[in-house]
Amino acid sequence: MKKVLLIRDDAIGENGALGQKLICGFLATMKDCKSLPSAIYLLNRGVFLSTQNEATIAALKALEERGVAIYSCHTCLEHYGLLDAIKVGEVGNAKDTLEALLSADNSVTL
């Protein structure tokens, strides 16, 4: 079963500090899970997870080593001035993201 994870923010929930702690914990824990998504797509402020936050960069690298493809939105990286700051994964585009979501057996959005 092909699963895709879409992360739209650099935090989970509404509280910035707590939400950022939660996303860090979520990604760090995911690397130890038996079942993993085939890919993680980072959109909007989610691109900060692959460019600015060392804890999430480390967790994403560990997931990548386990075979999870990591994609950061080109338009989002460009918008935030982070196009040259990506530290894990690849730069993706809307077409690739849509095709992955539409062809996945299951998708989860955070």
Side-chain angles (χ1 to χ4, degrees):
M1 180 182 285
K2 181 181 172 186
K3 298 177 218 168
V4 174
L5 179 60
L6 179 68
I7 300 178
R8 303 177 304 174
D9 203 345
D10 61 344
I12 294 175
E14 296 181 23
N15 182 302
L18 175 59
Q20 288 178 346
K21 191 176 207 178
L22 290 172
I23 195 74
C24 287
F26 185 87
L27 291 172
T29 301
M30 187 187 310
K31 68 180 176 25
D32 297 323
C33 290
K34 182 178 178 180
S35 180
L36 295 173
S38 58
I40 296 174
Y41 289 83
L42 305 171
L43 298 179
N44 206 329
R45 289 191 57 85
V47 299
F48 285 92
L49 301 174
S50 65
T51 58
Q52 300 291 308
N53 186 322
E54 293 303 322
T56 57
I57 290 166
L60 290 170
K61 283 182 179 180
L63 288 165
E64 193 173 47
E65 288 172 7
R66 291 203 50 209
V68 178
I70 311 293
Y71 298 100
S72 294
C73 166
H74 179 276
T75 302
C76 305
L77 290 166
E78 192 172 61
H79 175 80
Y80 290 115
L82 298 171
L83 202 50
D84 295 326
I86 191 166
K87 295 181 181 167
V88 59
E90 300 177 33
V91 176
N93 61 47
K95 183 176 184 270
D96 294 335
T97 303
L98 284 169
E99 286 182 355
L101 289 169
L102 294 172
S103 68
D105 297 313
N106 190 346
S107 64
V108 176
T109 301
L110 292 178

